[in-house]
Amino acid sequence: MMEWTDRHCRFFHRLLTRRALIYTEMITTGAVLHGARARLMAHDPAEHPVALQLGGCDPRQLAECARIAEAFGYDEVNLNVGCPSDRVQVGRFGALTALVGDCVAAMTSAVKLPVTVKCRIGIDDQDPEEALEALTRGVEQAGVAALIVHARKAWLDGLSPRQNRDIPPLDYARVYRLKAAHPGLDIVLNGGIADIDQALNHLGHLDGVMMGRAAYQDPWRLLAIDPVLFGEPAPFASPKATAEALIPYIERELARGTRLNAITRHVLGLFRGVPGARAFRRHLAAEAVKPAAGAAAFRTALALVADGSAQMVHSAAA
């Protein structure tokens, strides 16, 4: 979710669910250690619980980044070793990492935060039964708190990063078998989970599910998380009420020099299937990008959307 789940996105998503654990976009160790740290690591107190996701392959650098994450107040630090993006491969981490156990051991020794790992079930011609088991044993021995498994292989030879999101077949059964073989380790499933009903089915076998692109592209789905998975009321009664609650944040950020489009680009999928949704998106596409755009542009866009409960919206978009 690089360049997607930035701090504005995370603040918006937290308005939709109080209970889900939110992850940052993946940040490289080099960026944390040598880049604009204050900007890259910034998060609003309202985002908690929030995990920092790191990409790197040097145990010492990862340990130092974990210490920085702890100092910044993150609730978890996650090492992503399953991302097949070009930038990740050039940096020799992500799906190419071979020293995952050493990296996790260095991080767990450096901080009290939970250290988790996100991976694929295998790479290229690897046998997922052997490769995933070997990785799991290594990180479990190193003290990992949880393993998040994207239930696809990463094909670095022959598929683009975009193709790697969809073309390699999903193998949920392999992840189920991993949990059965490691009952004491929290195993979280990622990949192809499109809605809360699917999440519920997987939770019968596993400890958690991670929703990425479905949550970003259709954020209205997040309003169901608290009532369906945790038995608690949703934070707001409808997507429109949620969007209205975002306005004070928009006004605050605009006063700090943030451009309106930097925030509203994350909200475009909130009203999918609702009368007025297209007009909402069109208005923001034309107005939010203007240098002087203010909160009034967002209010005007919202006025184009029909009112309705969260359940009505879910039914319309299904």
Side-chain angles (χ1 to χ4, degrees):
M1 306 297 285
M2 296 170 73
E3 300 180 355
W4 287 23
T5 50
D6 61 18
R7 64 187 181 90
H8 306 307
C9 174
R10 299 191 306 266
F11 186 94
F12 165 54
H13 282 187
R14 180 55 72 209
L15 292 177
L16 295 159
T17 168
R18 299 184 182 94
R19 295 294 303 273
L21 175 61
I22 293 176
Y23 284 75
T24 70
E25 58 189 325
M26 188 176 67
I27 305 174
T28 67
T29 53
V32 173
L33 296 174
H34 308 297
R37 184 183 302 171
R39 176 181 61 82
L40 290 170
M41 305 282 286
H43 61 282
D44 191 280
E47 292 177 36
H48 292 284
V50 58
L52 175 71
Q53 187 172 96
L54 293 172
C57 63
D58 184 289
R60 288 177 296 180
Q61 291 181 354
L62 284 164
E64 180 58 26
C65 288
R67 294 188 191 97
I68 293 168
E70 191 168 55
F72 267 80
Y74 281 93
D75 300 293
E76 174 186 314
V77 59
N78 174 262
L79 175 61
N80 188 336
V81 300
C83 179
S85 78
D86 293 334
R87 279 179 287 177
V88 165
Q89 293 184 47
V90 170
R92 294 187 65 249
F93 56 89
L96 295 180
T97 300
L99 301 175
V100 182
D102 290 342
C103 291
V104 172
M107 296 166 73
T108 56
S109 297
V111 297
K112 296 180 180 178
L113 288 180
V115 174
T116 62
V117 167
K118 185 172 183 287
C119 68
R120 294 268 182 142
I121 61 173
I123 303 169
D124 292 334
D125 292 324
Q126 286 181 340
D127 179 350
E129 298 297 329
E130 298 176 359
L132 186 57
E133 176 60 27
L135 184 144
T136 302
R137 285 199 305 268
V139 298
E140 193 170 29
Q141 292 170 3
V144 78
L147 185 64
I148 303 161
V149 185
H150 186 149
R152 286 187 175 95
K153 275 190 171 184
W155 285 95
L156 306 183
D157 184 12
L159 292 182
S160 70
R162 180 180 294 274
Q163 291 171 322
N164 261 294
R165 298 173 192 166
D166 302 304
I167 292 179
L170 287 158
D171 188 354
Y172 295 140
R174 176 65 189 98
V175 187
Y176 294 172
R177 292 194 297 274
L178 185 73
K179 176 60 185 179
H182 298 265
L185 177 63
D186 281 352
I187 303 292
V188 178
L189 182 68
N190 176 234
I193 303 167
D195 56 45
I196 301 300
D197 287 339
Q198 291 181 19
L200 278 172
N201 289 335
H202 292 304
L203 287 171
H205 304 270
L206 301 161
D207 302 294
V209 293
M210 174 184 278
M211 293 178 65
R213 286 171 178 79
Y216 187 90
Q217 293 165 354
D218 296 315
W220 54 269
R221 296 184 186 277
L222 299 179
L223 277 175
I225 288 179
D226 292 3
V228 174
L229 299 184
F230 296 97
E232 299 176 3
F236 294 96
S238 69
K240 191 165 186 178
T242 307
E244 290 168 347
L246 184 63
I247 292 175
Y249 177 83
I250 290 174
E251 292 174 334
R252 187 180 76 198
E253 285 296 317
L254 291 176
R256 294 174 175 175
T258 302
R259 296 279 290 269
L260 179 62
N261 185 57
I263 304 171
T264 59
R265 71 186 184 96
H266 301 299
V267 187
L268 297 179
L270 184 59
F271 301 109
R272 192 179 302 276
V274 179
R278 182 174 297 179
F280 170 80
R281 294 192 299 270
R282 285 178 175 172
H283 185 83
L284 288 179
E287 300 298 325
V289 295
K290 295 180 178 179
F298 188 66
R299 289 192 178 94
T300 300
L302 276 183
L304 301 171
V305 181
D307 288 311
S309 68
Q311 185 58 47
M312 288 172 62
V313 173
H314 294 170
S315 299

